[in-house]
């Protein structure tokens, strides 16, 4: 199959409001899905969108086992999806909204694979933000993982709190978070849930992107992968996640 033709078909489907085109169900490998995703990114950028970073998903062993995959997946972040903590979103314009609780790492220098290890990843990060990823369930993620990867792994927006400088010896695996919805605590977790160490997630991303001729650039954001499971977000909800030593991040839905 010609990837460029699949990209055009996905793009045309998007313009009709179909994000999981059924003609591609059970037909794409994950490698092809990654190529389609990057082709869609290139089309968006050519049309005026600004890419500001990347995301890593399926970072927990249990979730990868659920989907029968041996490694995480990646997606891209656009400037149009960057929101500051406390933002209000109108769910009338969203499909099946949820949020995940992550650290948003900021690159102080380029990071390119192959051969990136945790130490190199740590050395490339200058700061981080407490963050939430806001996702849309635009189709059946569980049944059509490859199509979901092509469609940018549910990504819609990301909410970040104030930037926090990170020393080179920062232990992100030990960072803990507490998640609350409407004032009630719903989860506690630590950075160790993210591949054992969020820096390991970053190293994986740099090495994976290298397979497609891409790399991480200075100033880009990287959403590490969620400390917790995904939580639904309903109109009227106020969600807050507080990361120990990093700070809080919050979002409101209406």
């Amino acid at each position: 199959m010609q990837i460029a033709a699949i990209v055009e078909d996905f793009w045309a489907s998007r313009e009709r409001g179909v994000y999981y085109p059924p003609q591609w169900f059970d037909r794409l490998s994950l490698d092809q899905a990654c190529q389609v995703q990057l082709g869609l990114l290139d089309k968006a950028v050519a049309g005026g969108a600004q890419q500001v970073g990347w995301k890593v998903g399926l970072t927990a062993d249990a979730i990868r086992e659920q989907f029968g995959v041996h490694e995480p997946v990646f997606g891209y972040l656009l400037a149009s999806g960057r929101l500051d903590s406390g933002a209000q979103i109108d769910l009338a314009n969203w499909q099946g909204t949820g949020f995940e609780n992550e650290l948003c790492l900021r690159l102080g220098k380029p990071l390119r694979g192959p051969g990136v290890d945790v130490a190199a990843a740590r050395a490339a990060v200058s700061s981080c933000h407490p963050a939430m990823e806001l996702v849309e369930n635009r189709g059946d993620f569980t049944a059509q993982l490859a199509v979901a990867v092509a469609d940018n792994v549910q990504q819609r927006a990301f909410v970040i709190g104030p930037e926090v400088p990170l020393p080179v010896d920062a232990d992100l695996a030990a960072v803990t978070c507490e998640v609350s919805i409407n004032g009630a605590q719903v989860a506690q977790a630590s950075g160790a849930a993210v591949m054992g160490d969020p820096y390991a997630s970053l190293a994986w991303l740099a090495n994976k992107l290298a397979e497609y001729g891409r790399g991480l650039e200075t100033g880009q954001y990287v959403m590490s992968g969620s400390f917790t499971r995904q939580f639904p977000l309903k109109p009227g909800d106020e969600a807050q996640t507080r990361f120990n030593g990093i700070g809080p991040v919050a979002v409101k839905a209406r």
Side-chain angles (χ1 to χ4, degrees):
M1 289 183 286
Q2 294 294 318
I3 295 299
I6 304 173
V7 170
E8 292 300 326
D9 198 50
F10 264 76
W11 189 269
S13 293
R14 276 187 180 185
E15 292 184 327
R16 298 192 302 270
V18 179
Y19 294 90
Y20 281 47
Q23 61 269 31
W24 295 107
F25 285 6
D26 304 317
R27 294 182 62 191
L28 298 175
S29 68
L30 284 177
D31 175 65
Q32 289 169 326
C34 291
Q35 294 180 65
V36 171
Q37 181 201 118
L38 294 171
L40 291 168
L41 168 61
D42 291 343
K43 279 186 70 70
V45 170
Q50 179 188 0
Q51 185 194 5
V52 293
W54 303 90
K55 61 165 280 184
V56 187
L58 304 188
T59 50
D61 290 341
I63 294 176
R64 289 197 300 277
E65 289 172 8
Q66 175 187 345
F67 287 103
V69 295
H70 70 282
E71 63 180 356
V73 294
F74 66 81
Y76 55 84
L77 305 175
L78 299 178
S80 58
R82 182 192 178 282
L83 302 173
D84 290 327
S85 180
Q88 295 192 29
I89 60 171
D90 183 356
L91 295 186
N93 301 316
W94 290 61
Q95 301 179 48
T97 314
F99 72 95
E100 299 180 355
N101 306 286
E102 317 195 9
L103 291 180
C104 181
L105 308 178
R106 196 79 185 271
L107 274 292
K109 63 181 182 180
L111 186 65
R112 291 181 172 272
V116 173
D117 60 13
V118 169
R122 180 183 291 109
V125 174
S126 61
S127 60
C128 76
H129 301 255
M132 294 174 171
E133 184 183 8
L134 302 184
V135 300
E136 273 191 314
N137 297 304
R138 296 184 285 259
D140 193 337
F141 184 92
T142 301
Q144 297 296 329
L145 178 60
V147 173
V149 169
D151 183 48
N152 204 26
V153 201
Q154 299 185 308
Q155 218 296 306
R156 172 70 184 261
F158 63 109
V159 186
I160 57 176
E163 187 172 16
V164 177
L166 286 179
V168 293
D169 60 348
D171 184 1
L172 298 186
V175 172
T176 59
C177 75
E178 296 182 355
V179 185
S180 63
I181 301 175
N182 301 325
Q185 184 173 301
V186 295
Q188 290 181 304
S190 77
V194 183
M195 299 181 70
D197 185 340
Y199 287 125
S201 172
L202 179 61
W204 175 87
L205 176 63
N207 291 325
K208 191 65 180 179
L209 289 177
E211 296 179 16
Y212 300 95
R214 313 265 173 151
L216 300 166
E217 307 299 337
T218 302
Q220 285 189 327
Y221 300 101
V222 176
M223 295 291 283
S224 66
S226 188
F227 285 36
T228 69
R229 70 174 179 87
Q230 186 181 118
F231 292 93
L233 199 59
K234 307 183 301 299
D237 281 347
E238 296 187 16
Q240 182 185 79
T241 304
R242 183 174 294 277
F243 293 86
N244 182 47
I246 305 295
V249 60
V251 67
K252 299 178 181 180
R254 55 184 174 86

